[in-house]
Structure formats: C-alpha cells, structure tokens
Amino acid sequence: MLVLTTACGQDKANDAAGSQNVGAAPAANGYGTAGTGTGADAKEEQGTAAQAQSAGQLAVADTAKLGEVVTDSAGMTLYRFDKDSAEPPKSTCEGDCATAWPPVPASGATAPVGIDKALLGEVTRTDGTKQLTIDGWPLYRFAKDTKAGDTKGQGVGGTWYASAPTGKKAASGGGGGSAADLPGLSTRNDPELGEVVVDKNGMTVYRFEKDTPWPMKSACVGACLEKWPVVEPVAAANTKGIDNKNDGRRGYVVLNRPDGLKQQSIDCWPLYTFAGDKKPGDTNGQGVGGTWYAISPEGKPLGKPK
C-alpha cells in the first residue's frame, strides 16, 4: 500500500487526525495544572474562585528574582496572561482557567505610589463582571499562591507572568518584561550550553530523545505535557537565528499531533518548554531523565553525553 507523506514523514492520516481537537493537556494551553479537579476538589476550587476579593490598595513589591511586581492589598502577586490582549483589552481565561487563575475584580482597586493611576482600567468579561487591568492587560491571582510574596504562577505554561507596575511582564533582573520584545523563536548564549533556542518569553526550548524526527512523532503525551508544554507554531518570518529551512522533507515544520495540538519543530524535532523553568535563562529541564535537552538552532541536543 502506498503511504502518502508530508513534511518530516507525517502521513496524511495523521494530519487528518491532528486537525480534530480532541482535547489538550491544561499546561499545553498555558493554564497550568491548578483548578482542573473533579468532584469535591472542583467544588472547593470553584467556591474559592467565586469569592474573588477586590484588590483594594495595590502595592509594588521589590522581589529578588523578578524585580518590581504588582500585588493586591494582601500582598498576593497579580499576573497577566499572554493569550489575553491589551489593545483592545480582552480576557480569554474562562471556565477551568478562571478557577486556577481567579480574575481580579476592578471594583475598589486603587493605585499606590509607584503605579500610574492612569494605567488602571477595567474590561468587561463574557459573564458581565468587570476585571481590573493595568495598561490594558487583565489581572489575575494564582490559586496555588497561598501566602503574600508567593510567585508560583511565574512562567507557568510559558504564558503566565507576574505583572510589573507598567503592565509589562516582570522578569529576571527587574526588567519588567524585556522578553516581550523577542521574536517567536530566537537564541541566547548560555554560559554552559552555548547557543540555545528560546521562545517569545525568553524561556529555554527543549527536545525529547524519545521523540523521532522521521517520521516526526512526539512521545510526550498526557501527563507529560503538563511538565513539558508544546511550543506552538511560529512563522519562519517571526524567528531570529533559527535554522528554519524547509525542503518539504526535513526542516522547520509543524507537527499535527493526534491530540489536536499543533507543535513547532526544528529539523523535524518537536519543541517543548519546561514547566519547571520559572524565568528567562532557567535550564532546569536540561538532562532530566537523561532524555530532555536544550536544543540548538540547528535542532541538535545541547550537552547530551556522547
């Protein structure tokens, strides 16, 4: 029987299956792992989300790792979501996402010294409630932050970041989100690994040695995706320093996964980030299990023992 293939050896049957969205792991959607329970746990979490408190008098906390971040009056870190938009302001976090990341009500919020009150605003959510914004970005708390000063939501799914007082992403060194200016994929010079690929948030990108490049196939499924979210497709024009050639067989192409997700590849190796990396420059996923390695611009595994 003749098997028709597409780029990197993907067969058309798999392409068809990949076009059907049959569900994605929460982390792959950038929501993290909180707020997806069932039964009593889910009811408890939903109750917590329903009791969202006003932020009150906002504050600016100076943290060692992230620089200045915005908190509510109780000292709880406030976050922004990359899949939202600021122009115009819009929240895309609903349902289970809003359970894990309770929206901050706009009512009663006031600006302290250190935050320009002109940057504070509100957006109307689909349920009619008003959500607080800074410079147009909707703000959230994180259900797994349990005490003042916690920043457990930083970098979750490669899409959630503490908000700086300007509304930009808080980042290592207090830069307030310089990673926001990065292309979809680019490189940085790591002192130990050399030139590594990073995503639009400056987070290290990895490859999995149990995957295969031809035919291109991901072996990371189910719970694996909670720790290793896929890198979504990035147009070749939105890259810098990446080997994005595509000759129709090998190169810079998109994997149509059976679970409905679409995943970017380099040299036919599917790309991932690591949930354990909390800030740009982290390489906590390097060498995990002897199968996960930061990836080079050419698709090679960096630091893999020979």
Side-chain angles (χ1 to χ4, degrees), residues 6 56 81 134 213 275 285:
T6 58
F81 184 31
I134 290 187

Side-chain angles (χ1 to χ4, degrees), residues 13 22 38 40 57 61 90 106 114 117 141 153 175 180-181 198 217 270 272 304:
V22 294
T38 57
Q57 175 79 47
K90 182 180 180 181
K117 65 180 181 180
R141 297 180 177 95
D181 298 326
V198 298
K217 183 178 180 181
Y272 308 81
K304 181 181 178 181

Side-chain angles (χ1 to χ4, degrees), residues 22-116:
V22 294
N29 285 330
Y31 298 163
T33 57
T36 57
T38 57
D41 288 343
K43 290 180 180 179
E44 180 179 352
E45 289 169 350
Q46 289 168 359
T48 300
Q51 298 170 8
Q53 299 295 315
S54 167
Q57 175 79 47
L58 300 180
V60 177
D62 192 3
T63 68
K65 291 185 178 180
L66 302 178
E68 291 186 337
V69 302
V70 178
T71 73
D72 64 14
S73 59
M76 303 303 291
T77 303
L78 302 185
Y79 298 87
R80 48 169 279 181
F81 184 31
D82 275 359
K83 294 188 178 182
D84 289 349
S85 64
E87 296 181 358
K90 182 180 180 181
S91 170
T92 60
C93 180
E94 300 178 357
D96 286 344
C97 175
T99 301
W101 302 89
V104 178
S107 176
T110 57
V113 174
I115 297 180
D116 183 351

Side-chain angles (χ1 to χ4, degrees), residues 10-37:
Q10 299 183 77
D11 63 71
K12 289 190 175 181
N14 282 343
D15 284 351
S19 67
Q20 299 174 11
N21 189 350
V22 294
N29 285 330
Y31 298 163
T33 57
T36 57

Side-chain angles (χ1 to χ4, degrees), residues 79 130 151 293:
Y79 298 87
K130 305 288 187 181
T151 55
Y293 296 94

